[in-house]
Structure formats: C-alpha cells, structure tokens
Amino acid sequence: SHLPHLIAYTIVGTADDLQQVTQSEVIKFSAGGFRDFTRIAASDPTMWRDVFLSNKDAVLDMLQRFSEDLSQLQRAIRWGDGDALYDRFARTRAIRRSIVDQGQDDAAADFGRKHD
C-alpha cells in the first residue's frame, strides 16, 4: 500500500514541475484519470514520511521492483513491442477486475465485506 502513495506524490510533483517549465496549465487541464489516480497525494505528509522511513528496507525493495517493471514497459514502447504492452495491459486489467469482483473497490469500512 506504500508504493501508490510514492507514485502519486511523484506524479503530482512532476506535473507541477512540467507546468512551471512549460508555462502551461498541465494540472488545470488534466483529465479525471489524473484526479482519481492522484487522490492519495492529498494524504498527510507527516504520517507518510514516518511510514516510509519506518519501513525503509521494504519500501526500497518495492521501489526497485517497480523500477524494473517500469523499465520493461519503457523498452516495449521504445522497441514498438505492442504485444508486450498488450499482454501487460490485459493482465493488469483482469487483475483490476478481480479486485472489484472481490469487493475491494468499495469505500465502505472493510471494503463493504460482510462478516459472519
């Protein structure tokens, strides 16, 4: 659960940096996907600083794995490997659908799961 926070914080910061450099309104004209994805960047910075520092080794391990996965996607785009991109996107789409099917896309306490 830590990595999405780092990614959201980074994407918002990158968008703002780009906006400053290009003198454009990157964030103002971003679409709903940007808003939805970066929602967690509004989280408490003090708490997340402490969480990241307290879990430094695990966070660094996960960041390394994420960086490797991101590098694979960069290579696929660079080399025009549409099959690799499609396979990754289809796989992760199916995973996302299973998350929703399991009820983990519900804002209710405990994702709306009923307990016996």
Side-chain angles (χ1 to χ4, degrees):
S1 67
H2 300 5
L3 192 59
H5 284 80
L6 278 179
I7 295 168
Y9 286 130
T10 303
I11 286 177
V12 171
T14 300
D16 185 59
D17 291 345
L18 181 62
Q19 182 168 279
Q20 300 297 322
V21 169
T22 62
Q23 301 292 310
S24 63
E25 299 181 49
V26 172
I27 294 175
K28 180 179 179 182
F29 292 110
S30 61
F34 181 83
R35 181 204 61 226
D36 293 345
F37 182 77
T38 61
R39 170 189 59 80
I40 58 178
S43 299
D44 183 329
T46 301
M47 180 190 75
W48 281 102
R49 177 203 59 206
D50 295 346
V51 167
F52 291 135
L53 293 176
S54 295
N55 297 289
K56 177 174 58 175
D57 292 337
V59 169
L60 290 172
D61 286 345
M62 192 52 58
L63 276 172
Q64 180 61 41
R65 173 61 190 266
F66 180 75
S67 293
E68 291 168 7
D69 289 346
L70 193 56
S71 290
Q72 288 177 351
L73 288 171
Q74 287 174 312
R75 280 191 299 278
I77 293 167
R78 181 179 299 114
W79 298 109
D81 190 348
D83 290 340
L85 293 171
Y86 180 86
D87 290 347
R88 172 65 62 101
F89 299 158
R91 177 178 161 252
T92 56
R93 180 182 188 196
I95 294 166
R96 172 66 178 143
R97 286 183 173 171
S98 74
I99 290 169
V100 171
D101 290 346
Q102 293 173 35
Q104 292 187 24
D105 193 35
D106 193 315
D110 201 18
F111 303 109
R113 295 182 187 130
K114 296 186 188 305
H115 296 279
D116 295 328

